[in-house]
Amino acid sequence: MSELNKIALKIICNGKGILAADESNGTMTKRLEAVSVASTPENRLLFREMLFSSEAMKDCIGGVILYDETIKQTSSSGKSIPDLISSVGSVAGIKVDTGAKDLANSSEEKITEGLDGLRERLKKYYELGARFTKWRSVYIINKKFPSKLSINSNAHALARYAALVQENGMVPIVEPEVLMDGDHDAELCLIKTSEVIKKCFEELVLNKVDLSGIILKPNMILAGNKSKNKISNEEVSQKTIECLKKSVPSEVPGIAFLSGGQSDIEATENLNLINKNNNTNFIMTYSYGRALQQSALKIWSKNTKDIKATQNTFNHRAKMCTLAAQGKWSIELENK
Ligand code: 5MM
C-alpha cells in the first residue's frame, strides 16, 4: 500500500468523511452576512475553530479542507489549526486552486486557475501540515454545455494539479462539479457528468497520476433545481452509482460527494441510499460544505457566545452523515 493510498484511506474509511471549510473570503463573507455576522478574520476563525474542536471530529471527520487564511491561523489554545485538526486524528487539507475564471472563447463557462507557482505553494502547505489538497472545476449544464472546450481544459488542469500534489507527498482531491442550476433532467446530468469524469481520468492517466492515491469529489446525479422532472432519492442513488461504475477506474479508493446546494437532509438521505445500494468497491462518503455547516451557522448567528449549541448542531449533522456513509442512517435517528 502506498503512502498516498494510506492517507486517502485514513481520511475516508470507517464512515468518516470530509468537512469542506475552504470557502474563500468572498464566499465566507456571503455566508456570514446572510446570518448577519460580520465577516472579519476573527469571526471566520471563531466559527471554524468551534467546528474543528467539536466532539464529532474524532469519529466522523477524517479530513478538513482549509482555506489559505485558516491554515495560517492559530487556535485559541495556541495550537496551529493543522495541529488542532491532527490532534484528534483527522487530516488537514488545503484548497489550492485560485478560483474559476471566464473561459476564453466560451465566456459563459469557467476554467479553474492556479497552476502558476503551484509547486512552490505546495511545499509551503506541506510544511504547514497539509497532507491533502483540493481543486474544484465547475461546469454549467444544459443541452449545449458543458462544451468540449470546458471539459478538456478543466480535465487537463485537474490532472496537472493532481500530478504536482502527489509529487509533493499529498493526496489530491479531484473535484469536477457539474452544477445543479437549471431545468435539465437527471438523464442529462448522468450523460454530462459521465463525460466530464471520463475525461478527467483520461488526463489523470496521461499525467501518470497514481489513482490509488486520489479521492474523487463529484456531484450526485440529480435533476436541475428548476426541473419539473424531479426523481426520487432511490433513483438518485441508482443513477449516481451507474455513472461512477461506468466512469471511475477501480484503483480509485474512494469517492466523497459534494452537497452542491442540496438541503442537509437530502444530501444525507441520498448518501445513505448510495451506500445501501453500493455494489462497487469504492468507499462512498461525503465532503460537504453547506450540508455540514449551514445548520450550525444558523444556530451560532442567534447567539455567537453559545459554543455548546453550535457544536451540538454540528455534531448531530456530522454523525448523521457518518451513518449515511455506512448506509445506517434513518429519519428516526435524524429526528431523535
Ligand atoms: C466550501 O465551499 C467550497 C467553495 O468555496 P469557494 O467558492 O469560495 O472557492 C466548495 O469548493 C466546496 O468545497 C464544494 O463545492 C463542496 O461544498 P458543498 O457546499 O457543495 O457541499
Side-chain angles (χ1 to χ4, degrees):
M1 205 192 277
S2 73
E3 271 313 305
L4 293 175
N5 183 250
K6 276 190 211 156
I7 299 172
L9 290 176
K10 183 175 176 190
I11 297 169
I12 56 173
C13 69
N14 302 328
K16 285 187 178 182
I18 299 169
L19 166 61
D22 60 308
E23 297 87 354
S24 54
N25 287 348
T27 302
M28 199 56 188
T29 299
K30 273 189 225 149
R31 304 258 194 275
L32 290 174
E33 285 179 352
V35 292
S36 307
V37 176
S39 181
T40 60
E42 295 73 28
N43 279 346
R44 293 194 284 268
L45 176 63
L46 208 63
F47 178 66
R48 286 166 166 159
E49 189 182 337
M50 266 187 298
L51 306 185
F52 307 161
S53 45
S54 64
E55 179 222 312
M57 282 292 297
K58 195 167 156 281
D59 296 324
C60 304
I61 305 296
V64 180
I65 316 173
L66 300 168
Y67 180 58
D68 182 72
E69 174 183 82
T70 326
I71 199 171
K72 295 170 181 161
Q73 285 175 319
T74 305
S75 67
S76 51
S77 67
K79 277 187 188 146
S80 74
I81 293 296
D83 281 353
L84 174 66
I85 291 167
S86 57
S87 70
V88 290
S90 186
V91 183
I94 179 80
K95 185 231 295 288
V96 300
D97 67 66
T98 54
K101 309 284 156 60
D102 288 349
L103 178 63
N105 291 327
S106 188
S107 59
E108 284 166 86
E109 297 187 285
K110 301 281 178 200
I111 176 75
T112 301
E113 293 188 347
L115 287 172
D116 287 351
L118 180 58
R119 183 178 268 134
E120 292 68 35
R121 287 197 289 128
L122 290 172
K123 291 192 195 323
K124 292 205 183 106
Y125 285 137
Y126 188 95
E127 278 166 24
L128 288 169
R131 290 298 175 267
F132 75 102
T133 66
K134 191 198 91 172
W135 179 291
R136 169 172 171 255
S137 298
V138 284
Y139 308 85
I140 54 170
I141 170 171
N142 56 43
K143 284 204 182 94
K144 200 168 135 212
F145 294 125
S147 66
K148 283 263 178 291
L149 177 62
S150 150
I151 294 176
N152 291 359
S153 331
N154 277 299
H156 174 80
L158 270 167
R160 285 185 56 201
Y161 138 82
L164 280 167
V165 170
Q166 289 193 338
E167 179 192 276
N168 283 282
M170 294 180 279
V171 168
I173 292 189
V174 172
E175 180 179 3
E177 175 176 6
V178 178
L179 296 168
M180 233 170 104
D181 307 331
D183 58 7
H184 55 278
D185 59 21
E187 202 49 42
L188 190 72
C189 181
L190 172 63
I191 294 167
K192 300 287 183 178
T193 304
S194 306
E195 198 185 338
V196 162
I197 295 179
K198 277 183 188 155
K199 190 68 199 175
C200 286
F201 280 103
E202 209 180 296
E203 287 288 327
L204 287 163
V205 169
L206 194 65
N207 281 269
K208 302 191 172 59
V209 171
D210 169 8
L211 298 185
S212 73
I214 73 161
I215 297 169
L216 177 71
K217 177 167 172 170
N219 50 283
M220 294 177 189
I221 303 301
L222 304 162
N225 54 7
K226 296 194 192 91
S227 170
K228 293 195 187 86
N229 304 317
K230 289 276 179 319
I231 56 170
S232 67
N233 301 103
E234 181 63 30
E235 284 170 301
V236 168
S237 76
Q238 282 165 6
K239 284 190 192 297
T240 303
I241 293 169
E242 182 190 337
C243 169
L244 298 169
K245 248 181 144 170
K246 280 196 304 205
S247 2
V248 184
S250 58
E251 298 95 299
V252 174
I255 291 164
F257 295 98
L258 56 92
S259 55
Q262 298 179 72
S263 74
D264 44 15
I265 307 281
E266 202 184 347
T268 311
E269 186 164 3
N270 283 335
L271 178 64
N272 188 55
L273 288 169
I274 288 171
N275 276 291
K276 274 189 182 268
N277 295 328
N278 187 4
N279 54 4
T280 72
N281 288 324
F282 304 125
I283 294 172
M284 305 267 207
T285 186
Y286 57 93
S287 175
Y288 293 163
R290 285 162 287 180
L292 271 175
Q293 298 184 52
Q294 217 45 54
S295 48
L297 184 60
K298 218 167 156 190
I299 296 291
W300 183 59
S301 70
K302 286 189 190 147
N303 177 1
T304 51
K305 295 209 167 47
D306 199 347
I307 297 175
K308 202 157 176 253
T310 309
Q311 288 184 327
N312 284 345
T313 308
F314 176 71
N315 286 335
H316 180 66
R317 241 357 318 121
K319 283 178 191 164
M320 292 302 110
C321 288
T322 279
L323 284 170
Q326 302 165 92
K328 293 179 182 166
W329 173 88
S330 67
I331 196 72
E332 290 72 32
L333 291 169
E334 180 67 53
N335 294 330
K336 223 174 182 180

